[in-house]
Amino acid sequence: ISEIFDGVPIYRIGGDEFVLFLQGKDYLKRKFLVKTMNEKMRKNRDKNLLVIACGMAEYTSEDGCVEEVFERADEEMYADKYALKRGK
């Protein structure tokens, strides 16, 4: 994670779940960073190396609380986890 999200604080929020809060230049290139992470994980999967599922969500004015952002990110992460297991 820290190789791709260089200098971004990483917080462990439970067992094997982590959260990153992007800001500044990292926020501006958030889609590129997630794409890079996903590409790296697919390569790792193909080489039988460590694989991490990833999900991202952005806080919007429609969100009532931060928990809604976490829920969307969690849904994306589980979709990515499923895709990784299916070889996609």
Side-chain angles (χ1 to χ4, degrees):
I1 298 171
S2 61
E3 284 180 18
I4 294 167
F5 294 91
D6 186 36
V8 174
I10 302 170
Y11 302 94
R12 183 176 182 201
I13 60 170
D16 61 353
E17 293 184 348
F18 298 86
V19 66
L20 292 75
F21 293 97
L22 302 176
Q23 58 185 1
K25 66 178 176 59
D26 294 313
Y27 179 78
L28 295 175
K29 61 181 185 176
R30 64 196 175 279
K31 291 180 182 177
F32 170 78
L33 291 169
V34 170
K35 181 180 179 215
T36 302
M37 179 77 166
N38 289 336
E39 289 171 355
K40 172 77 173 164
M41 292 307 104
R42 270 114 187 111
K43 288 178 185 176
N44 280 6
R45 179 199 58 214
D46 294 343
K47 295 177 183 178
N48 291 319
L49 299 174
L50 176 70
V51 175
I52 300 168
C54 180
M56 177 184 71
E58 300 171 31
Y59 182 84
T60 69
S61 59
E62 296 172 8
D63 289 314
C65 62
V66 174
E67 185 176 338
E68 293 175 14
V69 182
F70 276 89
E71 288 173 4
R72 286 196 312 276
D74 208 38
E75 288 173 13
E76 276 200 23
M77 184 272 304
Y78 277 105
D80 186 47
K81 186 176 187 177
Y82 180 74
L84 283 165
K85 286 184 177 182
R86 291 189 39 126
K88 297 190 178 202

